[in-house]
Amino acid sequence: MSQQELIKLGVLLTKLLAALLLAVFGRYIGKKAKWVALGTSILSLGLFLAYIPTLKAGLNIPFEIEYLPTLGIKLSLNIDWLSFPFLLTEEFVTIFAMVYSLDYLKNGNRDHFFYALLLVFSAGMSGTTMANDIFLFYFFWELMLIASTLLLVNWGESEKRGAIALKYFIITHLGSLLVLVAFIMIYTQSGVDHFTSLQAALQTIPEKIPLIGSLFLIGFGVKMALVPFHIWLPDTHSEAPMPVTIMLAAAMLSMGTYGILRFPMSFLSMEQMAVFSLPMMIAGVVSEIYGAIMALVETDIKRIIAYSSVSQMGYILFGLGTMTYSGIVGSTLHVIYHAIVKALLFCCVGWIIKATGKRDINMINGLGKKMPLLSACTVLGALAIAGVPSLALFNSEWLIFSSGFQTPYLALAILEVLGSLLTVVYILRFVGQCFFTSGEVSKVNPVPLSIKIATVSLSGLTIVAGFFPKPLFDYVVNELPLILGGGW
Amino acid sequence: MLAFPQIPLFFLGFIAILVFLMARFLRIRNVFMALITALSFLCVFVYFVCEDQLLQFLEIHFPSFENTLTGVIAPGVFNSNDPGSVLICMVACGLAFLISLYSAEYLKNDGRQHAFYPLLILMMCGFMGMLFTNNLMTMYLFCELTSICAYTLVAFRRNDDMAIEAGFKYLMMGSVASIVLLMGITLIFQATGTVNLSQIANINDLPVQIGLIMILASFSLKSAFVPLHTWLPDAHGKAPSGISAILSGILLQGFFYTMLRVCLTLGMNRLILSNILICLALLNILVGNLMGLVQTQTKRLLGYSTIAQMGYIGLCFAIGLRTQSTLALQSGFFLIIAHAIAKSLAFLVNGVYYHYFNATEIIDLQQADRLTYFLSLAFGISVLSLAAIPPFPGFMGKWTFLTSAFTQMEGWSLVSAIAILAGSLISLGYYLKLLHNLFFKPATDRTDRSSASQQKVSIWMLIPITVLVFLILLITVKPQSIMDGTQPAAQFLLMLMR
């Protein structure tokens, strides 16, 4: 087995193996479980980073195992430039979620299950991005869903967690089933489940392309929480424990984007995708504005940030829908930046909740004086999500906005830019109400160091990513030859 | 393929009497009875696997052996070229072997074990005879043997009123089915003058058609197709765990396969048969899954899950008949095997919890993972496989079916594909409930298991469970081996259709 294959397997198997060990032997190591989980996710990130030279040299070969020849199923793992940005996001977010969770859980009885499931969740996401055949893709896609549901059911914050988890599971599973149907429709045509042969097979059934394309877009749109498939998101994000919320909002939402980029947008050519361009842009604008308005009227601070995700996913879909160079690069960059900023904002929200014990925005007043560090971080995150220049999200928003004007649909492009004004409104309401009102919060509880570390380091990342976009940009641009027939 | 199916039948019959006599007069202990039974099932299993070598050996050393056998013992009654029956019998034998081992501990505290093992052996004997026979009358007799043993075994714990009721209900419904079966056979005999399947001609006569429908109705009761399924949840809920496992794991599917084989051999129109099966199967998926959602007892829940799974299996075969696709039929056999292993594993682990905690309700599963953690992992794996979560065998079977259904792109195939997807989605509601209770619920007063970690689970229970877990993992890693095994069976069914 070559070094390359070892690394690829390692990124996945370290997490799965550690999860298995934690689940079985976790009760014997007690509180050390969290350090095992954190160490594993760092090791996994390290392995992934060690793969970049191979990727740069263009030497990556899929790792394959024969599985079920009768049905042409061959398990295959690969990291290419298209999976790179998503894998990077996911690995980093996992580490931040782990750091955040270090002092989060209170009763230590079943903690090792929490960390095991968090690792499985993370492995599901890395597997989804690394899979190179639909069988494995679907397997990891479901693994991700099951792990997150179990986390939600068991560590949810209120009594309604069972019902919310069920709603989450059923709606997103419906999306997965649509994707599965699309997969199988192409797969029966090719007889082999490898991505490249599927792409060739899809071109032999041009009459089914509209159907398959819509199944993919709707299926992945559910995972992306686009309006009107977003209904699972606000409940789920506000119910989940904070580390899981960070994983869900920052990493799992981007899996829907990955699915759209990986399947319809790389299987089909520019002409074939042109049909979907307008619907995608409209859906993007609708999600953006709807999410922002809902964020404006919510009073629960966790739900405000959750609706902000719906809005941000709208930007991403709009960018993808323009089918232009800057739109696609901008959307991919937006995924990464959004992950950083959204993780930061949820960390801040978690900090506020931990410190004040309240979630209603009208009850939280004047934290600015008492907690300067928190207010600095939150303001930074708020400015970033509002698209202030030189902070992370500005670069990608710029690209997405400019892509809109390269399409014939000027009205939509203008609506998109104006819609971003709503983002400023809801995020300033949030910051202003929490930190800069005159009232006083009676009591502020001490907050664990791990939460502070996670928040501050994410703020640092927001600034660094905003000031130095070039390295990331250079990496992300490499995905373009894989998309829409590669004719850029 | 099996040249002499009668050998294992006679062997099992002999062993049944032997075990009964030994238990009665030598008063041997439960463990010994279990071991003898298990050993005899193992012998039969080995006979299935390497009959060729055995016959070669006999031919060299006893040249007259083959003539004696064909001439003397039941000539022309048994069908020797049906790979599907062999496949199902091998699964049944394997399960019976594991369940006899399991019963060594499980029945330790019950009385009347001298009745249990002979009944189990006779049930398997009847089951195999029914699958292998080529003669309608023999089939009826063997079918009765199987059913009567099954009724008795369901009511084995006779100091439990509910068990008696379940057994009695099964007996009443099953007897009606048997009478209908007998009437059907009589009609066919009257019209054609023979009961030998290979000799029956003129099947377009009205009496033969009516007879076929009666056979179909009778077997659809025995394989628990809605609306004739009502006996099943009771029977599975109250039978000893091993018996529930074997009833739900392979017996139903065996009845179903026999029905398919008889109907096809007699030349029933495959489209009519497939239409009937699709209707029944869709009802099964609907009723099984919806009723599964509201159950409170683990074993009844597993019973309803069996009804739903019978629906999936029925759909696979129905679509296979309709489109003449080998892949769909293969997926049916694959699902039978996957379901047999996963469902019996679930029943056996639940039986362990019953044995040690007296756990019958779903909420009794709470904190049960205090007892040997391996058991709850095994239960988890089996439930995930039943719920068709990739990459476990249950998912592979459905994937195969979906592949064949979407290849055909024909109305009913698509409907059934959607039914299977929707059914799996609904079924997650109850499967996840089981897992949630087992792994994640905190202890209540009712389920305080703090002393459980000191209890040692008996080795007789752990061995079969380990074997089944190992089998599931083996199929997960190498599904191709099972897929290869099902191919001759699927091709045999295709051949019957022509």
Side-chain angles (χ1 to χ4, degrees):
Chain A
M1 199 179 274
S2 70
Q3 191 192 352
Q4 221 199 86
E5 290 174 335
L6 271 181
I7 292 180
K8 254 183 281 196
L9 275 181
V11 172
L12 264 181
L13 288 189
T14 43
K15 287 189 219 165
L16 285 176
L17 211 62
L20 190 68
L21 290 178
L22 278 181
V24 178
F25 301 111
R27 67 174 70 175
Y28 302 115
I29 62 171
K31 295 217 160 194
K32 296 191 197 79
K34 55 190 179 188
W35 298 110
V36 175
L38 180 61
T40 312
S41 42
I42 292 176
L43 179 65
S44 173
L45 175 70
L47 283 172
F48 168 60
L49 293 179
Y51 192 74
I52 295 183
T54 325
L55 201 55
K56 267 186 178 166
L59 293 173
N60 63 319
I61 310 158
F63 169 73
E64 287 175 341
I65 311 170
E66 198 71 50
Y67 187 60
L68 188 50
T70 308
L71 295 173
I73 294 177
K74 196 189 257 182
L75 306 184
S76 167
L77 283 178
N78 195 15
I79 302 178
D80 59 10
W81 283 114
L82 186 49
S83 43
F84 172 83
F86 299 91
L87 198 49
L88 184 75
T89 315
E90 185 272 322
E91 295 280 336
F92 265 107
V93 169
T94 307
I95 292 182
F96 282 112
M98 289 289 180
V99 171
Y100 190 94
S101 69
L102 288 179
D103 293 318
Y104 186 81
L105 295 179
K106 288 185 204 80
N107 46 349
N109 193 11
R110 305 214 150 194
D111 281 5
H112 54 281
F113 281 123
F114 181 83
Y115 290 102
L117 281 172
L118 217 52
L119 281 175
V120 172
F121 187 20
S122 165
M125 289 193 277
S126 10
T128 306
T129 46
M130 285 167 71
N132 202 24
D133 71 291
I134 52 173
F135 185 78
L136 217 51
F137 180 90
Y138 191 71
F139 165 59
F140 283 118
W141 186 261
E142 288 296 89
L143 193 66
M144 164 170 99
L145 175 59
I146 290 167
S148 50
T149 311
L150 287 177
L151 282 166
L152 198 56
V153 166
N154 296 298
W155 287 274
E157 288 178 345
S158 75
E159 286 307 306
K160 286 191 300 178
R161 55 180 177 262
I164 287 171
L166 195 64
K167 177 173 158 191
Y168 163 64
F169 192 92
I170 287 184
I171 293 173
T172 41
H173 193 70
L174 260 178
S176 316
L177 289 182
L178 293 183
V179 172
L180 182 66
V181 170
F183 277 157
I184 288 184
M185 278 165 88
I186 319 175
Y187 159 72
T188 48
Q189 192 65 29
S190 71
V192 183
D193 75 331
H194 204 271
F195 283 170
T196 42
S197 23
L198 289 175
Q199 186 169 3
L202 187 54
Q203 297 305 329
T204 62
I205 39 170
E207 74 279 3
K208 284 185 196 149
I209 282 178
L211 174 62
I212 291 174
S214 349
L215 282 174
F216 272 137
L217 286 175
I218 296 174
F220 290 123
V222 174
K223 204 67 158 189
M224 261 178 100
L226 296 167
V227 177
F229 312 117
H230 70 286
I231 44 174
W232 59 270
L233 183 137
D235 286 340
T236 312
H237 285 196
S238 60
E239 182 65 27
M242 201 47 92
V244 180
T245 310
I246 293 172
M247 298 271 280
L248 282 170
M252 199 192 78
L253 284 184
S254 64
M255 291 300 130
T257 319
Y258 173 73
I260 290 180
L261 273 174
R262 171 62 81 183
F263 297 105
M265 292 194 68
S266 68
F267 279 15
L268 300 174
S269 66
M270 183 78 94
E271 292 75 38
Q272 287 162 327
M273 274 306 281
V275 197
F276 300 111
S277 175
L278 186 58
M280 279 167 80
M281 285 167 73
I282 293 177
V285 173
V286 169
S287 283
E288 183 200 338
I289 293 176
Y290 180 83
I293 291 175
M294 288 307 286
L296 198 53
V297 297
E298 275 295 342
T299 53
D300 182 324
I301 50 176
K302 222 173 162 186
R303 284 176 82 93
I304 292 177
I305 307 299
Y307 268 113
S308 148
S309 296
V310 177
S311 169
Q312 296 294 318
M313 289 297 126
Y315 287 90
I316 293 174
L317 192 74
F318 181 84
L320 294 179
T322 59
M323 318 250 164
T324 55
Y325 178 96
S326 52
I328 288 169
V329 175
S331 295
T332 318
L333 279 175
H334 203 82
V335 166
I336 303 173
Y337 292 149
H338 168 253
I340 299 172
V341 174
K342 196 44 62 70
L344 169 61
L345 281 174
F346 270 122
C347 282
C348 295
V349 168
W351 190 337
I352 296 175
I353 295 174
K354 201 92 178 172
T356 63
K358 298 190 179 81
R359 290 174 62 159
D360 190 335
I361 193 165
N362 298 318
M363 310 288 280
I364 304 169
N365 301 313
L367 286 177
K369 275 182 198 156
K370 281 197 172 169
M371 309 168 88
L373 182 61
L374 170 63
S375 45
C377 291
T378 316
V379 168
L380 191 72
L383 290 180
I385 209 161
V388 169
S390 84
L391 288 178
L393 278 175
F394 172 72
N395 306 316
S396 52
E397 268 180 33
W398 175 274
L399 285 170
I400 292 175
F401 289 157
S402 70
S403 73
F405 290 98
Q406 294 164 25
T407 60
Y409 313 111
L410 264 186
L412 275 178
I414 293 169
L415 211 57
E416 170 80 11
V417 178
L418 290 182
S420 73
L421 193 64
L422 284 172
T423 311
V424 181
V425 178
Y426 75 72
I427 204 70
L428 287 185
R429 165 179 175 252
F430 165 67
V431 176
Q433 178 73 34
C434 289
F435 294 97
F436 304 116
T437 40
S438 55
E440 276 289 305
V441 172
S442 54
K443 186 164 130 266
V444 175
N445 304 321
V447 171
L449 186 63
S450 62
I451 294 184
K452 292 182 182 169
I453 291 177
T455 315
V456 172
S457 47
L458 279 168
S459 319
L461 213 53
T462 311
I463 300 175
V464 172
F467 272 107
F468 304 102
K470 189 162 184 320
L472 208 52
F473 186 83
D474 287 346
Y475 280 133
V476 166
V477 171
N478 286 321
E479 76 180 9
L480 284 167
L482 297 169
I483 291 172
L484 292 177
W488 300 100
Chain B
M1 307 283 177
L2 212 55
F4 295 109
Q6 51 272 64
I7 294 180
L9 296 184
F10 278 93
F11 175 71
L12 282 181
F14 171 71
I15 293 285
I17 297 168
L18 188 72
V19 170
F20 181 74
L21 290 179
M22 280 168 79
R24 213 52 211 192
F25 296 111
L26 299 181
R27 301 196 173 279
I28 56 174
R29 284 167 55 206
N30 179 34
V31 178
F32 288 118
M33 282 188 266
L35 279 180
I36 296 171
T37 316
L39 205 63
S40 58
F41 283 126
L42 193 63
C43 288
V44 175
F45 189 80
V46 170
Y47 178 82
F48 280 135
V49 177
C50 48
E51 193 201 30
D52 285 348
Q53 286 87 333
L54 192 71
L55 285 184
Q56 265 173 12
F57 174 82
L58 285 176
E59 222 164 274
I60 294 166
H61 296 275
F62 310 95
S64 61
F65 173 78
E66 197 165 344
N67 293 333
T68 321
L69 208 64
T70 14
V72 176
I73 308 178
V77 173
F78 291 102
N79 180 6
S80 56
N81 59 355
D82 177 1
S85 300
V86 179
L87 196 68
I88 291 179
C89 281
M90 277 170 73
V91 177
C93 243
L95 277 188
F97 164 67
L98 296 175
I99 281 156
S100 333
L101 283 184
Y102 181 84
S103 303
E105 167 73 18
Y106 187 73
L107 291 180
K108 196 178 62 180
N109 306 328
D110 288 74
R112 299 190 312 133
Q113 290 105 342
H114 61 268
F116 182 85
Y117 295 99
L119 278 172
L120 179 63
I121 300 175
L122 281 179
M123 183 168 84
M124 295 323 288
C125 178
F127 182 68
M128 288 176 198
M130 179 184 74
L131 278 165
F132 283 124
T133 183
N134 206 12
N135 182 309
L136 281 177
M137 207 53 221
T138 326
M139 190 189 75
Y140 171 75
L141 293 176
F142 277 123
C143 178
E144 274 298 85
L145 179 61
T146 318
S147 306
I148 289 172
C149 294
Y151 311 144
T152 326
L153 284 171
V154 164
F156 181 71
R157 295 210 151 124
R158 61 177 174 183
N159 40 8
D160 181 357
D161 289 345
M162 298 296 284
I164 298 284
E165 188 200 327
F168 191 67
K169 188 172 178 185
Y170 187 16
L171 167 71
M172 292 316 286
M173 295 185 69
S175 316
V176 173
S178 300
I179 291 166
V180 173
L181 177 63
L182 192 59
M183 272 163 68
I185 294 173
T186 319
L187 276 175
I188 292 178
F189 178 64
Q190 249 186 349
T192 61
T194 173
V195 283
N196 195 322
L197 276 177
S198 49
Q199 291 166 5
I200 293 173
N202 309 330
I203 64 110
N204 287 326
D205 286 358
L206 187 63
V208 179
Q209 293 284 339
I210 295 174
L212 262 180
I213 295 294
M214 284 178 154
I215 292 178
L216 205 73
S218 152
F219 275 111
S220 63
L221 186 142
K222 296 205 184 245
S223 43
F225 276 108
V226 175
L228 302 173
H229 68 288
T230 47
W231 59 269
L232 185 139
D234 292 330
H236 286 196
K238 286 300 162 193
S241 282
I243 299 306
S244 309
I246 210 159
L247 275 181
S248 125
I250 200 68
L251 226 61
L252 299 176
Q253 288 82 350
F255 283 123
F256 175 68
Y257 181 77
T258 313
M259 166 178 93
L260 217 57
R261 191 167 61 89
V262 169
C263 289
L264 288 176
T265 317
L266 290 183
M268 186 169 181
N269 187 334
R270 67 182 168 84
L271 286 180
I272 297 176
L273 183 58
S274 110
N275 283 344
I276 297 173
L277 282 182
I278 287 177
C279 295
L280 290 176
L282 288 180
L283 269 177
N284 257 35
I285 292 175
L286 191 71
V287 171
N289 282 327
L290 289 184
M291 291 300 288
L293 288 176
V294 296
Q295 297 307 312
T296 57
Q297 290 182 0
T298 318
K299 282 175 86 179
R300 280 181 75 91
L301 190 153
L302 290 175
Y304 276 108
S305 139
T306 302
I307 292 175
Q309 299 275 348
M310 272 314 289
Y312 303 142
I313 293 169
L315 266 189
C316 290
F317 281 105
I319 297 300
L321 294 182
R322 167 175 282 274
T323 59
Q324 296 198 314
S325 124
T326 326
L327 207 55
L329 293 174
Q330 266 180 291
S331 72
F333 284 110
F334 194 100
L335 267 184
I336 287 182
I337 296 172
H339 170 250
I341 296 173
K343 188 54 72 61
S344 45
L345 180 55
F347 271 121
L348 292 194
V349 177
N350 188 57
V352 178
Y353 293 146
Y354 176 77
H355 192 67
Y356 288 100
F357 304 142
N358 207 10
T360 52
E361 306 282 318
I362 293 175
I363 49 168
D364 289 337
L365 287 177
Q366 288 164 14
Q367 299 284 315
D369 61 339
R370 290 289 170 107
L371 186 77
T372 313
Y373 196 66
F374 170 72
L375 284 176
S376 32
L377 282 185
F379 195 75
I381 288 176
S382 76
V383 168
L384 288 181
S385 175
L386 289 173
I389 299 297
F392 291 108
F395 175 74
M396 286 314 300
K398 285 184 186 168
W399 174 282
T400 316
F401 174 71
L402 288 180
T403 310
S404 72
F406 277 103
T407 313
Q408 309 299 334
M409 272 309 196
E410 170 244 10
W412 279 113
S413 318
L414 288 182
V415 169
S416 48
I418 290 165
I420 280 202
L421 287 175
S424 319
L425 186 64
I426 303 173
S427 68
L428 283 168
Y430 52 86
Y431 290 130
L432 291 182
K433 188 161 78 178
L434 287 181
L435 291 188
H436 183 214
N437 272 291
L438 180 56
F439 285 102
F440 299 109
K441 279 281 180 75
T444 54
D445 291 343
R446 182 190 169 96
T447 54
D448 180 25
R449 311 267 190 242
S450 41
S451 61
S453 42
Q454 278 98 46
Q455 265 174 319
K456 281 263 180 293
V457 178
S458 158
I459 187 83
W460 298 116
M461 289 177 148
L462 282 179
I463 290 174
I465 289 171
T466 317
V467 171
L468 287 171
V469 169
F470 178 73
L471 280 176
I472 288 192
L473 295 181
L474 193 71
I475 299 179
T476 309
V477 177
K478 280 194 80 65
Q480 183 62 33
S481 49
I482 301 293
M483 219 38 122
D484 289 340
T486 57
Q487 194 165 10
Q491 272 159 359
F492 174 76
L493 274 186
L494 275 185
M495 198 193 71
L496 277 188
M497 278 181 232
R498 303 210 174 95

